[in-house]
Amino acid sequence: MRDLRTGSTGNREVRGQRATPPQVPARSVPRKSYEPSFPALDPSTFGTLRRLLDETVLADTYREFLRQTRRRLEAALNAPAEQDVAHVLGHTLRGTAGMLGAAGLARVAAEFEAESLPETRFRALVQETLRGCTLLEAALREAHVAL
């Protein structure tokens, strides 16, 4: 914009160089609470499984994994939270999710294995993992896996 009094555009030159405009800090876009900061599906692992398995077997594998995971998580919500239950649940889920390339679920499941997991954190992790199952389902549909 031109300054009417001086005729200047506001850009100052310093020793023959144009001054750079001031840097405006980028606004951080808040993440939706249900979106993890990591991908739901690791493309490398998924690509390997897709090459190795028939499409029907691949779909059945993920479908069964999601069904069993949801069943176990819902059962855990209805049972008293014991550290051993949380540890076994987390260990099993982390290993299977990692093998299937469900990176988001594997990372959340690792938290179940923490010692002295308070009841409120346990319940929050179960809910987060259930949301992770939904995100994994969406990623699989996007990858054209018929669930």
Side-chain angles (χ1 to χ4, degrees), residues 116-137:
S116 304
L117 191 64
E119 171 95 21
T120 54
R121 183 64 185 142
F122 174 79
R123 292 189 174 286
L125 282 174
V126 168
Q127 293 301 325
E128 188 175 342
T129 307
L130 287 168
R131 284 188 299 273
C133 287
T134 302
L135 292 172
L136 176 60
E137 241 174 3

Side-chain angles (χ1 to χ4, degrees), residues 95-115:
T96 308
M99 181 186 71
L100 294 175
L105 288 176
R107 288 199 182 156
V108 173
E111 289 191 51
F112 280 107
E113 294 182 285
E115 291 185 32

Side-chain angles (χ1 to χ4, degrees), residues 41-98:
L41 188 60
D42 175 54
S44 175
T45 304
F46 177 72
T48 300
L49 290 172
R50 182 164 249 172
R51 280 192 310 275
L52 295 174
L53 301 175
D54 173 80
E55 282 296 313
T56 304
V57 173
L58 181 71
D60 288 346
T61 301
Y62 280 105
R63 188 180 311 111
E64 185 62 18
F65 168 71
L66 287 164
R67 187 181 73 74
Q68 288 289 331
T69 299
R70 285 185 172 121
R71 185 184 61 75
R72 286 185 179 125
L73 291 167
E74 288 166 4
L77 277 178
N78 296 323
E82 296 177 20
Q83 193 60 38
D84 290 343
V85 171
H87 184 78
V88 170
L89 175 68
H91 184 76
T92 303
L93 180 57
R94 184 174 53 92
T96 308

